[in-house]
Amino acid sequence: DLVILTELFERISLKKEGMTDYEKLHPILSVLSYLLKAPLVPPGTPIVNALFAQRMCLVNIMRACVGLSPDNSMLLEHKLTAAFRS
């Protein structure tokens, strides 16, 4: 499961309204924390320890991929690489 989700999330690219280029998710895939005991998160990312919130993050990213609106706990602003550039 971990390998399949990693491959899937490496292929996702998105952009905010007004941006010209698409952007991939941050290389540290903290969204996979649902499957890991001690996940690594990028600097400045809030750490989510609640299992339900971690699961909802996975579900909501999948929902976004098929064009459905998210429920909550997505924290998508912390999954982009541009958020960590100075």
Side-chain angles (χ1 to χ4, degrees):
D1 294 339
L2 183 62
V3 173
I4 292 170
L5 286 174
T6 302
E7 179 68 25
L8 175 68
F9 291 137
E10 285 180 350
R11 294 176 181 221
I12 295 174
S13 58
L14 52 102
K15 68 177 180 175
K16 293 181 187 178
E17 190 174 325
M19 292 177 61
T20 57
D21 296 329
Y22 282 88
E23 187 175 336
K24 292 192 174 275
L25 297 177
H26 195 278
I28 299 175
L29 293 171
S30 58
V31 69
L32 298 176
S33 61
Y34 182 68
L35 302 170
L36 303 171
K37 183 175 180 180
L40 180 64
V41 296
T45 302
I47 297 173
V48 178
N49 291 324
L51 191 62
F52 177 76
Q54 292 171 346
R55 181 186 171 278
M56 285 307 300
C57 181
L58 279 171
V59 169
N60 283 326
I61 289 178
M62 299 292 190
R63 288 173 57 93
C65 287
V66 295
L68 298 173
S69 62
D71 289 332
N72 60 9
S73 304
M74 198 164 174
L75 297 174
L76 192 56
E77 67 274 11
H78 296 286
K79 308 295 187 260
L80 302 175
T81 55
F84 302 103
R85 292 185 203 137
S86 297

